[in-house]
Amino acid sequence: MKTKSLTRFDWRSSFIYWMFALIFLFFGILLRNDGFLSPNNLLNIFRQTATISVVAVGMTFVIACAEIDLSVGGVAGLSSVVVAVTIRDHGAVAGVLAGIGVGLLVGSINGLLVSRIGIPSFLVTLGMQGVAVGTAALITNYAPIPILSDAFNRVFGSGSIGRFPSVIFWSFSAVLLGWITLTRTTFGRRILATGGNRDAAEFNGIDTKRIKFTVLLISSTVAAIAGMIYAGRLQTGRYEWGTGDELSAIAAVILGGTSLFGGGGTIIGTLFGALLVGLINNGLILAGLPVSEQQIIRGLIIILAVALAKKK
Amino acid sequence: MNAIEMKEINKSFFGTPVLKDVNFSVLPGEIHGLAGENGAGKSTLMKILQGVYTMDSGLIEVAGSPAEISSFQDARQYGIGMVFQEFSLIPELTVAQNIFLNREPTNKFRLISDRSSIAKAHKVLESVGIDIDVTVKVSTLSRAFQQLTEIAKAIAAEAKILILDEPTASLAKHEVDSLFKVLKQLTASGVSIIYISHRMDEIYQICDRITILRDGNLVAVDSLKNLSPQEVIAHITGRKDVEMLSYEGREVDRRSTPVLKVVELSAGDRVKKVSIELHAGEVLGFAGLMGSGRTEILRAIFGLDKVGSGKIYINGEEKTIKNPREAKGVGMALIPEDRRRQGLIMEHSISTNILSANLEKLSHFSFLNFQKINQFSQTAITDFEIRPPEAKREVKLLSGGNQQKVVIAKWVATNPSIILMDEPTVGVDIGTKVEIMKLVRSLAAQGKSIIVVSSELPELLGVCDRILIVKNGEVTDSLERYEIRDEDHLQLMLQGINA
Ligand SMILES: Nc1ncnc2c1ncn2[C@@H]1O[C@H](COP(=O)(O)OP(=O)(O)OP(=O)(O)O)[C@@H](O)[C@H]1O
Ligand SMILES: [Mg+2]
């Protein structure tokens, strides 16, 4: 007896790449005289998507595990502020540690509430988003805190390695690490198992509570690092950094082909999803559309793309 | 020394005792049958051995020394492996990934090596004589192949004691044969096997000894050499004479317009130009090997799969059936093969499940009529002898056989004129099997038209008026029941040998 493998070509699984190519071509032709294809602009797209792609890598883990993390934007803002304040008072190294501490702290709280008490991650992280942004605003009294450490700013965003902005290094590392973790480690496999069928995963001896805890911890920590990249790039900490990033990150993950229902996940897809979101933003700005129209078109493109990418 | 010894095990759920002072022991290298009606406590006893449930009192010994088993991992440490009745597979992972789930082979950088798990999985499957592409996702496999994957998984884990809970429920004859060969092979290497089944022929074919439970009590332990099938059945049911299923010839009027007529229906690559005529009061059987396309034919007729070409007539009128709602609209019901995935909402109660297919009937201007619902589900529970008879009980807490009764009850309650049944007696105990088959016949006697897909040939022979042989998505033969001499004859026909 032979299994009939369903090898019919599944264009949906490679959908994001087609979509990416198509939109790239579209803007490339339409905006060829506006410098869309100039190396500088292309590098810009990368730079602008760096934070989203970093956050989206963490988000891929969460969604593959059939959970969601809406607090990442808030965590990024909070981390930027805590980093800025700590650097001002205690120097750059303490600042970085404090930033990561923010991610670990928020992530543990999210993780504990979801895995131990059993509150849906949607609610926990929605609440946490408010708490994080509010705390950031409270600490700084709504004011931006400048960061004067050159070293910090260079490492986290303003500097460059050869021709490449250091932010790209961050997003590249996040993607590489995320990709290896999800596809090549037992931890990654356990995430997919937990998201795919939690009961079955339990029967296989997987501690699904711990997995849920860990993915939320990772997502928060990664978001805190994204907050530091904001801080370094803009040389300030501000509670508003990262606002709305959770939605861009979720859009990137889903566009990339990860199912919202868990059980599957592709980091490379997520990277292209993030790049696609960045591409669209960049193109719309270069086209000189007013912000309101940009928002409408961006929203429509994302809905359309997700609708097309949706598996039956 | 016993490989496993369970002493005076007690367990109750919500104050209801499910196991009462049960003793159970297995010798090294033996295949030990575990039998009993639906809800007798077989799965519960095994889940205790697995660390899934904790016993209220009792003692477990593995290879002569007391064992504390409080989790699945513990059980694994003691070399106890289980092939789950409800699958432990992750649908989105591949066969190889599932086989090595949570103990993936890793390379020197401690990264998973899918290549080596594919190679290893391949080897395991080969040793077992199962031919599955280990790189496909489990979700794309049929039930039978998922079951085989589940078995391969336990074998790959090198269990010393292997528990199989109704492993052949969805396997075809030759698959069962190759499974049995593997089991024999395993016992030769010292593995003990606990084998739960409702099929008497299998128990006699493979088991050395048998333990029989009834309502949570141990009623018999003996070598099968000392027990006749009648005695085993008597122990299982607690009744002296159990009615067996035998065919009684019936007349079906084939001159009138067929209730369901399917002409050259094709769908996907699994249903090829299938033509069927089904008359009022007729029971039509589909016989075929696992994967022959029987399920897919039912799915296409019921509007679950997209139909490529062909026509469907209901009472002589051409209909296009694009989805199950339209199928229901023309009076069809489909009782699916995989109750957990397609038939039931496991977290919901018996009555909510029965309700789900009968919403119109049990509501008034969209408002649910709870009095009617209660009455309705109570009737179904009594008619189908669902146990425990508590309408509010979540179906995931019912034994497998009782879950199946809920599915059937739910669809019969919609009062369909055409009933498509896909493996209706999977996991159902001997007594209930006979009841379900009697039910099929009484529905037919009321004028309903029924298609039954079953891998249990005696069952088809017991109820069908006509049997179609399905092979590779095509109907290759159509036989009147009286043309078939016996089970062996039908088996030969299935294998394409005209005898
Ligand atoms: N988790 C649970 N909570 C409550 N009741 C349960 C639970 N699991 C099983 N039961 C009940 O315990 C009894 C024994 O069930 P069990 O599944 O062991 O039967 P079984 O012998 O395996 O039957 P089958 O042949 O149908 O699989 C049944 O009445 C069932 O409803
Ligand atoms: Mg059972």
Side-chain angles (χ1 to χ4, degrees):
Chain A
M1 54 197 152
K2 257 271 183 284
T3 36
K4 279 241 174 65
S5 62
L6 304 166
T7 42
R8 224 177 312 135
F9 179 65
D10 184 11
W11 64 275
R12 285 168 201 275
S13 62
S14 54
F15 168 83
I16 180 66
Y17 309 111
W18 294 106
M19 190 76 188
F20 183 82
L22 196 74
I23 301 248
F24 190 83
L25 216 64
F26 177 76
F27 281 139
I29 294 171
L30 196 75
L31 302 171
R32 63 186 176 283
N33 297 327
D34 298 309
F36 177 79
L37 291 174
S38 74
N40 252 338
N41 186 53
L42 294 182
L43 222 49
N44 238 337
I45 294 177
F46 270 107
R47 191 179 293 141
Q48 284 155 357
T49 41
T51 41
I52 297 297
S53 54
V54 169
V55 172
V57 167
M59 190 67 79
T60 309
F61 282 69
V62 179
I63 293 180
C65 192
E67 300 289 338
I68 196 94
D69 188 348
L70 298 177
S71 68
V72 287
V75 171
L78 180 59
S79 136
S80 81
V81 161
V82 169
V83 167
V85 170
T86 317
I87 289 180
R88 188 186 60 196
D89 300 344
H90 304 286
V93 177
V96 171
L97 293 178
I100 293 185
V102 166
L104 292 174
L105 179 70
V106 176
S108 318
I109 299 174
N110 283 344
L112 284 178
L113 290 174
V114 171
S115 66
R116 299 295 146 178
I117 306 194
I119 312 175
S121 54
F122 181 82
L123 293 174
V124 168
T125 58
L126 185 64
M128 193 53 82
Q129 162 85 338
V131 173
V133 175
T135 310
L138 194 71
I139 295 177
T140 60
N141 212 358
Y142 298 96
I145 312 283
I147 297 176
L148 303 175
S149 160
D150 246 3
F152 178 86
N153 288 338
R154 233 177 306 122
V155 173
F156 285 95
S158 307
S160 55
I161 301 165
R163 276 206 61 166
F164 291 96
S166 62
V167 287
I168 293 182
F169 163 78
W170 283 105
S171 79
F172 180 76
S173 324
V175 167
L176 188 69
L177 218 68
W179 179 63
I180 291 177
T181 307
L182 199 60
T183 56
R184 297 295 302 273
T185 66
T186 49
F187 173 61
R189 210 38 73 67
R190 287 183 194 142
I191 295 177
L192 296 179
T194 304
N197 183 346
R198 192 171 170 192
D199 289 340
E202 280 282 339
F203 275 130
N204 284 291
I206 294 171
D207 185 347
T208 59
K209 284 184 178 161
R210 205 166 113 200
I211 298 293
K212 279 176 197 264
F213 176 86
T214 316
V215 294
L216 286 166
L217 188 69
I218 289 176
S219 155
S220 253
T221 309
V222 165
I225 293 174
M228 292 196 255
I229 298 172
Y230 273 117
R233 204 173 80 204
L234 302 162
Q235 313 198 348
T236 26
R238 182 152 198 197
Y239 75 98
E240 278 175 311
W241 298 159
T243 307
D245 277 5
E246 59 280 357
L247 296 184
S248 308
I250 293 169
V253 173
I254 304 301
L255 277 172
T258 296
S259 158
L260 248 186
F261 303 108
T266 143
I267 297 280
I268 305 298
T270 295
L271 172 65
F272 275 83
L275 285 174
L276 182 59
V277 173
L279 200 63
I280 294 170
N281 286 341
N282 181 273
L284 292 178
I285 294 170
L286 279 191
L289 295 179
V291 175
S292 53
E293 287 177 26
Q294 282 181 31
Q295 282 179 327
I296 295 174
I297 294 179
R298 189 187 315 142
L300 290 179
I301 292 182
I302 289 179
I303 293 176
L304 183 77
V306 172
L308 287 173
K310 195 170 152 5
K311 298 224 166 67
K312 248 210 330 182
Chain B
M1 189 178 21
N2 286 321
I4 287 283
E5 172 117 37
M6 298 177 83
K7 288 180 188 159
E8 308 196 345
I9 307 289
N10 280 288
K11 174 77 189 168
S12 14
F13 289 113
F14 310 117
T16 315
V18 170
L19 294 173
K20 302 164 208 165
D21 284 328
V22 172
N23 290 312
F24 179 72
S25 62
V26 180
L27 297 168
E30 82 167 331
I31 302 184
H32 194 110
L34 182 56
E37 290 187 317
N38 294 134
K42 306 178 294 291
S43 296
T44 304
L45 187 67
M46 289 304 109
K47 282 181 179 164
I48 288 173
L49 192 54
Q50 277 296 296
V52 177
Y53 295 154
T54 25
M55 54 196 169
D56 299 339
S57 68
L59 187 72
I60 301 177
E61 283 176 5
V62 178
S65 40
E68 282 283 342
I69 303 174
S70 57
S71 73
F72 186 77
Q73 282 94 313
D74 290 350
R76 195 183 266 175
Q77 302 258 296
Y78 285 109
I80 302 170
M82 172 128 186
V83 174
F84 286 93
Q85 195 176 18
E86 54 269 14
F87 298 136
S88 70
L89 303 176
I90 312 289
E92 286 304 305
L93 296 181
T94 67
V95 171
Q97 288 171 343
N98 265 291
I99 288 179
F100 292 101
L101 185 62
N102 213 18
R103 33 182 213 96
E104 291 84 0
T106 51
N107 63 16
K108 58 177 181 291
F109 303 112
R110 311 197 59 220
L111 296 179
I112 292 179
S113 159
D114 266 332
R115 196 150 7 109
S116 103
S117 58
I118 287 170
K120 284 185 175 180
H122 203 78
K123 238 205 212 130
V124 171
L125 286 173
E126 208 158 58
S127 77
V128 181
I130 303 172
D131 188 6
I132 296 184
D133 179 352
V134 297
T135 60
V136 301
K137 282 187 183 172
V138 161
S139 61
T140 66
L141 297 179
S142 69
R143 233 187 105 97
F145 287 110
Q146 293 185 358
Q147 175 77 79
L148 292 172
T149 305
E150 189 85 23
I151 290 167
K153 188 174 156 184
I155 291 171
E158 291 175 0
K160 283 261 136 253
I161 295 130
L162 197 58
I163 306 168
L164 290 99
D165 198 345
E166 297 180 51
T168 59
S170 55
L171 302 191
K173 181 102 175 61
H174 67 286
E175 291 167 328
V176 174
D177 290 343
S178 62
L179 170 68
F180 283 2
K181 233 195 288 165
V182 177
L183 296 185
K184 286 281 187 209
Q185 216 169 297
L186 285 170
T187 55
S189 61
V191 175
S192 307
I193 292 166
I194 302 173
Y195 191 90
I196 302 181
S197 177
H198 290 294
R199 295 183 177 176
M200 292 297 293
D201 51 339
E202 286 180 1
I203 289 176
Y204 272 91
Q205 195 180 336
I206 187 122
C207 295
D208 304 310
R209 288 197 305 153
I210 190 168
T211 294
I212 301 171
L213 300 180
R214 187 165 72 236
D215 292 330
N217 294 301
L218 175 69
V219 291
V221 191
D222 209 339
S223 161
L224 279 159
K225 291 199 192 74
N226 306 330
L227 286 170
S228 71
Q230 283 71 27
E231 285 172 309
V232 171
I233 293 174
H235 280 308
I236 290 174
T237 59
R239 276 168 289 174
K240 275 268 134 19
D241 46 344
V242 177
E243 182 181 12
M244 292 313 288
L245 202 65
S246 59
Y247 173 72
E248 296 149 24
R250 289 189 312 129
E251 280 298 314
V252 176
D253 181 8
R254 296 247 175 78
R255 283 158 310 176
S256 57
T257 326
V259 176
L260 170 71
K261 184 170 164 188
V262 175
V263 182
E264 306 216 319
L265 189 74
S266 296
D269 51 4
R270 308 286 300 276
V271 178
K272 298 171 204 152
K273 293 203 168 179
V274 168
S275 297
I276 297 167
E277 274 191 23
L278 180 65
H279 292 263
E282 184 174 27
V283 181
L284 185 63
F286 283 3
L289 302 179
M290 196 56 54
S292 59
R294 297 166 303 173
T295 295
E296 284 77 4
I297 295 173
L298 296 191
R299 289 177 60 93
I301 295 174
F302 200 65
L304 275 163
D305 291 338
K306 207 164 158 215
V307 169
S309 63
K311 292 194 167 71
I312 294 178
Y313 301 85
I314 305 289
N315 294 319
E317 224 180 291
E318 187 179 343
K319 300 270 183 194
T320 44
I321 296 171
K322 291 194 294 291
N323 55 47
R325 249 167 299 122
E326 294 181 355
K328 220 173 131 187
V330 301
M332 280 198 228
L334 173 70
I335 295 168
E337 67 178 325
D338 184 349
R339 59 178 171 260
R340 286 175 179 278
R341 258 195 315 202
Q342 303 152 341
L344 292 170
I345 302 171
M346 302 302 288
E347 271 72 35
H348 287 184
S349 67
I350 299 178
S351 90
T352 313
N353 268 288
I354 293 177
L355 169 71
S356 65
N358 296 283
L359 280 171
E360 294 81 14
K361 210 183 304 180
L362 298 172
S363 60
H364 199 64
F365 298 117
S366 306
F367 287 99
L368 296 176
N369 180 340
F370 286 100
Q371 201 189 343
K372 247 191 189 169
I373 291 170
N374 283 342
Q375 244 173 22
F376 195 79
S377 32
Q378 215 51 57
T379 316
I381 286 170
T382 327
D383 285 356
F384 290 86
E385 296 186 24
I386 295 167
R387 267 175 299 163
E390 294 161 22
K392 299 244 161 358
R393 178 69 67 103
E394 285 173 35
V395 293
K396 71 169 181 206
L397 302 181
L398 300 182
S399 68
N402 279 295
Q403 290 174 353
Q404 184 67 0
K405 292 193 213 167
V406 176
V407 181
I408 298 177
K410 162 177 136 180
W411 282 108
V412 170
T414 65
N415 196 18
S417 53
I418 302 164
I419 307 177
L420 314 176
M421 295 184 164
D422 199 355
E423 303 283 2
T425 62
V426 167
V428 166
D429 67 41
I430 301 176
T432 313
K433 237 174 230 173
V434 176
E435 278 167 39
I436 289 177
M437 287 298 121
K438 281 205 315 221
L439 181 87
V440 169
R441 271 196 289 213
S442 83
L443 289 169
Q446 292 163 31
K448 298 196 188 302
S449 309
I450 299 166
I451 298 182
V452 181
V453 168
S454 177
S455 300
E456 289 198 54
L457 302 185
E459 214 168 277
L460 288 180
L461 292 170
V463 292
C464 296
D465 302 303
R466 203 149 49 93
I467 293 177
L468 303 185
I469 310 281
V470 180
K471 205 172 288 174
N472 287 328
E474 287 173 277
V475 174
T476 55
D477 215 339
S478 165
L479 303 158
E480 292 296 330
R481 172 63 183 86
Y482 57 76
E483 294 176 302
I484 305 171
R485 287 191 303 274
D486 53 18
E487 192 183 337
D488 291 337
H489 184 190
L490 182 55
Q491 185 63 41
L492 289 177
M493 300 291 299
L494 266 189
Q495 287 159 357
I497 303 162
N498 263 315

